[in-house]
Amino acid sequence: MLSCSSAFQRVASLMFMAPKLKPQRLHQIAETGAEQLVKKARTMTTESSMKDAFSQYADYLNNFNEKRERVVKASRDITMNSKKVIFQVHRLSKDNKDEVLEKAGKDLEAVREQHFARLMKELQGTDFWKLRRAYSPGVQEYVEAATFYKFCVSGTLSTLDEINSTLLPLSDPSLEALQINILDYILGLADLTGELMRMAIGRISDGEVEFAQRICQFVRQIHRELLLVVPQMDDSYDMKSKMEVMLQSVIKIENACFSVHVRGSEYIPLLGDDAPTSFLLGETRDLISSLPSEKGWLVSQIYQFQGRWHTEALLQGILTCQKHFKAKDSDIILVTNPKSGTTWLKSLVFALINRHKFPVSSGDHPLLVTNPHLLVPFMEGVYYESPDFDFSLLPFPRLMNTHISHLSLPESVKSSSCKIVYCCRNPKDMFVSLWHFGKKLAPQETADYPIEKAVEAFCQGKFIAGPFWDHVLEYWYASLENPNKVLFVTYEELKKQTEVEVKRIAEFIGCGFTAEEEVSEIVKLCSFESLSSLEVNKQGKLPNGIETNAFFRKGETGGWRDTLSESLADAIDRTTEEKFGGSGLKFSC
């Protein structure tokens, strides 16, 4: 087949080479030539229009790239001068606070009025979202500087609205105001924790321990809140990597604060150490020093308070909890003995109450990227680490867990209508799980503690949160007396018929399933196999120094047979029969 140009050349050759052609044929050829000329004219016009269009595109791209270069430069200037503000704030000490903060405040104002104003002039009235990657680093650095300064001035966090309100005067009132978006704000907030970590360590070295502890509490609150926000972010790759760095900052601050109060870099605060009352002050020290004490098989020393045995650290947390915690009617409190399904229960109930906010099927559930113990705060542990922690900051409904006995619960918990879900476990399995857990974490002097002596101490009730039987019976009787307030669940039944028990828990806490809803997805997400296989539960440590994989061993019922001899198992069975006789409470296994 001939091309258009070849066909036109063929027609032309025929015109000159044919000796005789009929008039009709000539007329037809003339018409064909005219049509070709018209088409050529049209083509020339189209080419001209296209050239003009692409010339406009080229001009737009050239102008856009020039604008981008100016935006990048403005962003760099904001970054450089925001860092100067951060460095200025780091000079802060108890002797120069007013002077340093006054200078930092003026420097921050200069960043806004000089460099941020230039950026806003470039971006206002344009497709500024196309240039976000060009200016985002500077905006994040400015957010970091502004929030760092605000914390040092007032001990509070600058919100996104507060920061944006300071930028409004820089906008042209005839155009839409340019505001920092929430993603850049959160990214800048994540970087803030690194600066606070450096400041906390510096303040400790200068002897300002109280200020460092306030920083510690503040950073932990930010980290805890962001744990719930990050999985909902569409573009969260950068944020997820920053969360890992943030967690390390939290851990460094915690360890630095702990090292002031206790001896030894390997100290595990919730288990105790070999320096009794080394970190306790005032009334707490006087009280604990007066309590009955025993050498422990998990810790060096335990103390008896209100009929229960505790480490110094946990006892301090309990005392603070009793004094300061204010329960709300909507609260949900998960109660267990140690190693009685705590991690599993936390995961299940967190997934239950947040199943509409965090659908299991979405693939970005918080439990996939966060250890359950970071999602559900351990009350006495939090109060030990941060005595001034404000539990009112937790999202509604507040979900917490504790090992505190029913007798020792804060009065507000007992008098409120909050819900308590209590999970207990067969004492032999519970003891064996605690035994292996303790072997990983106990101090060196108790590492070779004979298991026979440990079983004896367990049967006497002398272990963390013990006696086991008293702890269980208090909640058992409370569930019989007030079934609308206390739900009693056993680990064994939860393993045997998980979906049935999960639905019972959901109904009790007020978030029952509809006929169309499936509980199986939550059960699968929170299963031992699922949680133990996640990287977040295999690597790393919690802020208190405990490795995350320490909470996942076997998750079985009847696993005590691999560790306890027949005689040791019989000793626990006899004690169980004696203590639970007449209560109506029985365990499978």
Side-chain angles (χ1 to χ4, degrees):
M1 182 179 292
L2 297 175
S3 66
C4 289
S5 59
S6 299
F8 189 79
Q9 290 173 2
R10 176 64 175 165
V11 171
S13 65
L14 289 173
M15 287 176 65
F16 292 103
M17 291 175 63
K20 292 182 180 179
L21 291 174
K22 294 180 179 180
Q24 184 181 5
R25 178 63 175 159
L26 288 172
H27 178 69
Q28 290 174 344
I29 293 174
E31 286 182 346
T32 302
E35 288 175 1
Q36 292 294 334
L37 291 173
V38 171
K39 288 181 179 179
K40 184 175 181 180
R42 287 175 179 172
T43 301
M44 292 175 63
T45 303
T46 302
E47 288 177 351
S48 176
S49 299
M50 187 176 294
K51 184 177 180 180
D52 291 340
F54 274 93
S55 177
Q56 293 176 14
Y57 301 154
D59 290 342
Y60 171 82
L61 291 175
N62 288 334
N63 292 333
F64 184 84
N65 287 331
E66 289 175 2
K67 179 183 285 291
R68 182 182 182 281
E69 290 300 319
R70 295 195 298 271
V71 168
V72 168
K73 186 178 186 308
S75 177
R76 287 173 181 165
D77 289 341
I78 292 173
T79 298
M80 180 178 65
N81 287 279
S82 294
K83 285 186 181 294
K84 289 181 180 179
V85 174
I86 293 172
F87 296 152
Q88 174 70 16
V89 175
H90 271 299
R91 294 181 53 242
L92 186 69
S93 72
K94 58 185 177 182
D95 299 321
N96 65 4
K97 180 177 179 180
D98 293 337
E99 174 190 348
V100 167
L101 291 180
E102 181 181 1
K103 176 69 166 57
K106 291 179 179 178
D107 290 346
L108 190 64
E109 184 178 357
V111 175
R112 282 196 303 271
E113 295 183 352
Q114 297 176 26
H115 307 292
F116 222 107
R118 182 155 51 92
L119 176 66
M120 296 181 73
K121 183 178 180 181
E122 288 288 347
L123 295 176
Q124 254 194 310
T126 67
D127 296 334
F128 61 87
W129 53 270
K130 295 180 181 178
L131 291 165
R132 179 181 170 270
R133 289 190 177 275
Y135 66 78
S136 178
V139 171
Q140 292 177 39
E141 197 71 36
Y142 175 78
V143 169
E144 182 180 354
T147 52
F148 190 39
Y149 169 76
K150 176 67 177 297
F151 172 79
C152 292
V153 170
S154 64
T156 59
L157 177 67
S158 280
T159 65
L160 178 59
D161 289 340
E162 289 173 346
I163 293 176
N164 276 330
S165 68
T166 65
L167 302 178
L168 281 176
L170 306 177
S171 300
D172 185 338
S174 64
L175 299 173
E176 181 182 358
L178 183 68
Q179 299 277 268
I180 295 174
N181 65 50
I182 191 168
L183 179 57
D184 286 332
Y185 172 77
I186 290 177
L187 288 167
L189 204 59
D191 292 333
L192 167 67
T193 58
E195 299 302 334
L196 289 172
M197 179 268 292
R198 285 183 276 277
M199 172 165 277
I201 293 175
R203 299 286 68 75
I204 288 173
S205 64
D206 291 341
E208 296 181 54
V209 180
E210 184 178 349
F211 186 37
Q213 290 173 335
R214 290 203 302 271
I215 294 175
C216 182
Q217 178 185 350
F218 185 75
V219 172
R220 291 197 68 200
Q221 290 175 9
I222 293 176
H223 182 259
R224 182 178 291 110
E225 291 303 319
L226 288 181
L227 283 173
L228 299 178
V229 173
V230 172
Q232 302 180 72
M233 296 168 60
D234 293 332
D235 181 16
S236 59
Y237 175 81
D238 291 341
M239 194 62 205
K240 287 177 180 176
S241 62
K242 288 191 176 189
M243 287 297 290
E244 302 215 3
V245 176
M246 189 190 308
L247 179 58
Q248 295 306 312
S249 295
V250 173
I251 293 173
K252 287 178 182 178
I253 300 174
E254 293 282 3
N255 289 341
C257 289
F258 293 149
S259 67
V260 175
H261 299 302
V262 298
R263 296 202 306 266
S265 61
E266 299 303 319
Y267 175 77
I268 305 297
L270 298 185
L271 286 181
D273 76 331
D274 59 354
T277 67
S278 59
F279 60 87
L280 302 174
L281 302 173
E283 295 180 358
T284 304
R285 169 179 287 179
D286 294 338
L287 172 61
I288 291 184
S289 64
S290 68
L291 295 174
S293 63
E294 292 271 355
K295 291 290 182 182
W297 57 275
L298 277 175
V299 295
S300 301
Q301 201 81 12
I302 55 176
Y303 296 84
Q304 189 177 47
F305 175 70
Q306 295 181 342
R308 306 292 178 266
W309 292 91
H310 309 282
T311 66
E312 288 181 342
L314 290 179
L315 181 51
Q316 185 185 19
I318 291 170
L319 292 169
T320 307
C321 184
Q322 289 179 338
K323 184 175 182 180
H324 296 294
F325 182 75
K326 302 299 181 186
K328 298 180 179 179
D329 290 341
S330 58
D331 288 345
I332 301 169
I333 301 177
L334 311 179
V335 187
T336 59
N337 262 301
K339 308 310 296 177
S340 295
T342 307
T343 308
W344 190 20
L345 186 64
K346 282 186 174 186
S347 304
L348 285 169
V349 179
F350 178 86
L352 280 175
I353 66 174
N354 291 290
R355 66 180 185 271
H356 300 300
K357 185 178 182 181
F358 305 121
V360 176
S361 58
S362 64
D364 57 356
H365 199 280
L367 284 169
L368 297 176
V369 294
T370 309
N371 185 275
H373 294 285
L374 293 174
L375 296 174
V376 183
F378 176 42
M379 292 172 67
E380 54 266 44
V382 170
Y383 272 127
Y384 164 73
E385 296 161 0
S386 304
D388 297 323
F389 180 77
D390 186 2
F391 274 85
S392 66
L393 299 175
L394 295 180
F396 173 89
R398 299 191 304 182
L399 177 62
M400 300 150 282
N401 103 283
T402 183
H403 296 322
I404 299 177
S405 68
H406 191 270
L407 173 69
S408 298
L409 286 173
E411 287 303 317
S412 64
V413 174
K414 298 176 185 178
S415 60
S416 72
S417 298
C418 69
K419 300 289 188 178
I420 296 174
V421 179
Y422 183 83
C423 183
C424 69
R425 190 178 189 182
N426 179 287
K428 289 178 290 188
D429 278 334
M430 181 263 183
F431 169 84
V432 167
S433 183
L434 188 61
W435 170 257
H436 290 289
F437 184 79
K439 294 287 282 185
K440 293 181 180 180
L441 303 176
Q444 186 61 41
E445 62 271 22
T446 66
D448 296 325
Y449 200 90
I451 192 170
E452 292 79 11
K453 289 188 65 177
V455 169
E456 180 182 357
F458 177 77
C459 290
Q460 293 173 354
K462 296 177 180 178
F463 78 105
I464 296 174
F468 167 87
W469 295 269
D470 295 351
H471 196 282
V472 172
L473 285 174
E474 284 182 12
Y475 284 99
W476 169 248
Y477 290 130
S479 71
L480 297 178
E481 294 169 2
N482 193 351
N484 293 324
K485 183 178 180 66
V486 181
L487 179 68
F488 194 94
V489 178
T490 69
Y491 184 88
E492 289 71 30
E493 286 300 306
L494 199 54
K495 289 286 289 185
K496 183 178 179 180
Q497 46 181 9
T498 308
E499 292 191 10
V500 172
E501 290 297 283
V502 169
K503 288 182 178 179
R504 189 163 74 98
I505 293 172
E507 195 68 33
F508 173 77
I509 62 179
C511 60
F513 288 82
T514 63
E516 295 78 17
E517 287 185 292
E518 287 289 338
V519 68
S520 58
E521 289 187 343
I522 289 179
V523 170
K524 182 178 179 181
L525 171 68
C526 301
S527 68
F528 178 86
E529 293 75 13
S530 173
L531 293 177
S532 63
S533 66
L534 296 173
E535 194 67 23
V536 70
N537 296 325
K538 295 194 294 185
Q539 302 290 335
K541 296 181 178 181
L542 297 182
N544 60 17
I546 299 178
E547 295 183 359
T548 55
N549 61 15
F551 296 96
F552 299 89
R553 195 175 72 88
K554 290 186 177 181
E556 299 175 346
T557 57
W560 56 267
R561 295 181 177 87
D562 297 334
T563 302
L564 294 178
S565 66
E566 184 176 348
S567 61
L568 293 178
D570 286 342
I572 296 177
D573 283 340
R574 287 194 301 271
T575 308
T576 302
E577 185 176 356
E578 175 189 341
K579 298 291 185 179
F580 287 168
S583 67
L585 178 61
K586 294 183 180 180
F587 288 94
S588 56
C589 284

